Amino acid sequence: MAKPSFPQMISSLLLLILLFTLSSLPHTITSRGLSLEEATIDDLQLAFKHNQLTSRQLVEFYLVRIRRLNPVLKGVLEVNPDVLYLADKADYERRTKAPVSLVSKLHGIPILVKDNIATKDKMNTTAGSLALLGSVVPRDAGVVEKLRKAGAIILGKASLSEWSHFRSNGAPSGWNARGGYGLNPYTFSDPCGSSSGSAISVAANLAAVTIGTETDGSILCPSGYNSAVGIKPTIGLTSRAGVVPISPRQDTVGPICRTVADAAYVLDVIAGIDRNDIATIETSKYIPKGGYAQFLRPSGLRGKRIGILRAFYGFGNDTSLAQTFEKHVNTLRKGGAVLVDNLEMPHLTEIYSDASEDIAMSVEFKISLNAYLKELVASPVRSLADVIAFNNKHKKLEKVKEYGQDLFLAAEATNGFGKTEKAALLNMARLTRDGFVKLVLENKLDAVVTPRADFSKVLAIGGAPGVIVPAGYENNGRPVGICFGGVRGSEPKLIEIAYGFEQATKIRKPPSLKGFKF
């Protein structure tokens, strides 16, 4: 295992001293009447404008929260040792009216990015694995570069399910060798993954907003489980360059926030062309002139044709949840949406029983991960085979005996795209074309609405977008989301629908953290 450099150790020590000092501050910080807990981007920018708040004060608030809550929640893997310098820089830009401070919604806003997203700074990028500790990335990930240009403050790295939950089927969601097991702040149990830390952190107010990634369900599921808003963008709408990959065909990067508005503001910044990700060039045609925030309309439900797939509306013995979702269906109707009920999607059963996605991702993972590792400036491992060997050498730390690495081994056994893999790709294209796309086009739908993130596989294999919004709570107290999915490039309509629903319901509430041991 590569050891941290001396400068890294000094930075970490200074940060620990800083956090210890900050921990003596009051647990709840309010700046001139503004409660920073649950504050939105608009709230924060207004406070900046009226000199009621500085970026330094805001960062210090989040550092206190991380110091107090993260030892149990484990939503943050590491904090940027330069974060206070970056906050002071943002404050200086605001005082001197630097152009970026006047136009960017994200200027001076602290953001956590998932630890599979590269940052060219003093922090690690490890996908939660000890095998990549001390590795050096060649540059910022494409989305991080856009965030920095917008004046956002990279607060730190959010935890995740190790290797974005693609090491083994046996590992629990939210676990990684570097940080341990992340916990849902509402139930102190499963946070869902793989963007578990991003959702945990935004739910528990450890950051203003966060960035996650999804291959299949990894933004939508943790957002739903943690009463957050998650946008899973169309494949290629946001750059994947500099992101530890699983499948370039399905990987996407998107925001996890507390409100639809905040998520739209973040999407406006991170969407767009990145020459290091060729898919963004073609997909940029979907980006609307004027951006996504213009679709934050309270009347966004009016006139939208929304399909209801009853196959996803099973709630077991939770009758209250069933009633909740029927109430939501009525909310959509009262908001002016045209509901097309009791739809049946062609090939739905086949999609959820077919192995094509697993077959394709296995070979895609080996090829894309090997390419990512070879591009690193420095790294203890240079191939998937090296990572497997590292895990076997450090079985205790990586919990190989408990969780295994079956997905790694299956991927390593692949040998490029043969007949089986090519057939899998063709099959998924067929299922998407003759299934979801046909359903939407024939019924002239703007979106399909389903409970939870159960629709994620349909969206994943089709490269299609989804937005999930807080919808209620199960009998055990765990939050549940409502998901709006559409065909590629339908983010404007999905944001309209999601915002209209959110404004009509306003269900999200912060976790009470009762029984939390400080």
Side-chain angles (χ1 to χ4, degrees):
M1 189 193 316
K3 294 181 179 179
S5 66
F6 182 70
Q8 284 177 317
M9 289 190 288
I10 292 297
S11 295
S12 298
L13 181 60
L14 289 173
L15 186 62
L16 285 172
I17 294 170
L18 168 69
L19 289 174
F20 180 78
T21 303
L22 289 172
S23 67
S24 63
L25 295 174
H27 288 342
T28 301
I29 297 178
T30 303
S31 178
R32 301 187 190 182
L34 171 68
S35 174
L36 297 182
E37 188 174 336
E38 295 288 292
T40 66
I41 289 173
D42 283 333
D43 293 334
L44 297 173
Q45 290 297 349
L46 189 63
F48 290 154
K49 182 179 179 180
H50 293 296
N51 297 316
Q52 295 175 321
L53 179 70
T54 66
S55 289
R56 173 176 268 265
Q57 289 172 330
L58 184 58
V59 165
E60 287 176 342
F61 167 75
Y62 290 126
L63 290 176
V64 168
R65 298 280 296 184
I66 291 168
R67 169 73 176 175
R68 292 177 60 232
L69 305 181
N70 199 59
V72 172
L73 296 181
K74 300 186 188 301
V76 181
L77 272 185
E78 61 181 295
V79 171
N80 188 348
D82 291 329
V83 69
L84 288 179
Y85 162 77
L86 295 172
D88 290 340
K89 178 173 177 283
D91 289 333
Y92 174 77
E93 290 171 344
R94 198 177 300 112
R95 286 196 304 272
T96 58
K97 293 182 168 47
V100 68
S101 70
L102 301 175
V103 299
S104 173
K105 284 278 191 181
L106 297 191
H107 183 267
I109 301 295
I111 294 181
L112 285 169
V113 300
K114 187 176 176 181
D115 184 48
N116 63 340
I117 300 173
T119 55
K120 186 67 173 174
D121 50 24
K122 294 172 184 173
M123 293 188 290
N124 288 283
T125 303
T126 69
S129 171
L130 296 171
L132 282 178
L133 198 60
S135 63
V136 180
V137 299
R139 65 189 74 85
D140 276 338
V143 293
V144 172
E145 183 180 357
K146 289 179 184 295
L147 289 169
R148 291 197 203 273
K149 283 182 179 177
I153 297 169
I154 307 300
L155 175 62
K157 291 295 186 75
S159 185
L160 72 165
S161 305
E162 188 174 295
W163 294 105
S164 296
H165 219 169
F166 205 76
R167 191 187 97 179
S168 77
N169 286 309
S173 283
W175 177 85
N176 65 78
R178 278 191 67 195
Y181 185 38
L183 296 177
N184 185 320
Y186 292 87
T187 61
F188 298 102
S189 60
D190 183 8
C192 201
S194 67
S195 302
S196 50
S198 301
I200 291 166
S201 297
V202 83
N205 285 272
L206 305 186
V209 296
T210 64
I211 304 292
T213 67
E214 174 156 333
T215 307
D216 184 342
S218 293
I219 288 174
L220 297 177
C221 185
S223 296
Y225 269 43
N226 292 274
S227 201
V229 173
I231 298 181
K232 181 253 184 193
T234 299
I235 301 303
L237 192 73
T238 54
S239 173
R240 291 80 51 80
V243 177
V244 181
I246 294 178
S247 162
R249 182 181 45 79
Q250 291 187 197
D251 292 345
T252 189
V253 181
I256 299 179
C257 305
R258 289 185 288 272
T259 68
V260 177
D262 284 358
Y265 296 150
V266 176
L267 186 62
D268 269 334
V269 168
I270 64 175
I273 293 174
D274 176 8
R275 299 293 172 184
N276 291 316
D277 182 353
I278 195 169
T280 61
I281 298 173
E282 170 66 16
T283 310
S284 67
K285 67 185 180 185
Y286 293 127
I287 300 174
K289 186 177 181 180
Y292 293 101
Q294 64 183 304
F295 299 101
L296 298 169
R297 299 167 181 160
S299 61
L301 293 171
R302 189 174 301 147
K304 299 297 187 300
R305 286 180 62 84
I306 301 175
I308 300 174
L309 291 168
R310 291 290 175 178
F312 291 92
Y313 284 68
F315 302 102
N317 296 323
D318 197 336
T319 55
S320 63
L321 196 59
Q323 291 168 358
T324 294
F325 273 89
E326 284 308 310
K327 183 179 177 182
H328 292 334
V329 168
N330 288 328
T331 297
L332 298 175
R333 186 179 290 111
K334 288 177 182 177
V338 178
L339 301 184
V340 187
D341 207 345
N342 296 305
L343 287 176
E344 293 186 7
M345 194 178 95
H347 307 295
L348 184 61
T349 302
E350 185 180 354
I351 288 171
Y352 281 87
S353 61
D354 183 68
S356 294
E357 184 187 33
D358 294 336
I359 291 168
M361 285 199 301
S362 195
V363 67
E364 289 165 339
F365 177 67
K366 180 181 178 180
I367 293 169
S368 56
L369 181 65
N370 285 348
Y372 173 88
L373 294 174
K374 284 173 184 172
E375 195 187 14
L376 294 175
V377 175
S379 177
V381 290
R382 290 292 183 181
S383 67
L384 175 57
D386 289 349
V387 179
I388 291 169
F390 177 95
N391 290 342
N392 286 332
K393 186 177 179 181
H394 302 88
K395 287 185 176 181
K396 215 169 196 179
L397 292 171
E398 284 287 348
K399 292 189 179 290
V400 174
K401 185 178 179 181
E402 294 90 337
Y403 304 143
Q405 49 182 335
D406 55 291
L407 296 177
F408 272 12
L409 295 172
E412 180 59 26
T414 63
N415 191 28
F417 284 94
K419 288 178 68 175
T420 301
E421 290 79 15
K422 289 176 182 177
L425 294 177
L426 289 173
N427 193 42
M428 284 186 287
R430 175 186 65 84
L431 292 171
T432 296
R433 181 187 65 246
D434 298 340
F436 183 48
V437 173
K438 183 178 180 181
L439 176 81
V440 170
L441 295 181
E442 286 190 350
N443 291 280
K444 298 179 181 178
L445 301 177
D446 294 304
V448 166
V449 59
T450 56
R452 300 179 287 247
D454 297 350
F455 201 60
S456 68
K457 186 170 182 178
V458 175
L459 301 176
I461 67 170
V467 180
I468 196 163
V469 182
Y473 300 86
E474 298 184 14
N475 286 334
N476 62 3
R478 185 172 71 193
V480 63
I482 187 168
C483 182
F484 302 99
V487 294
R488 291 185 184 223
S490 62
E491 281 86 352
K493 288 182 179 179
L494 296 182
I495 288 170
E496 273 192 284
I497 293 168
Y499 186 73
F501 174 83
E502 177 195 54
Q503 294 305 297
T505 56
K506 296 190 176 179
I507 288 166
R508 175 181 158 77
K509 56 186 178 183
S512 67
L513 300 173
K514 286 180 180 176
F516 195 95
K517 302 295 184 183
F518 294 116

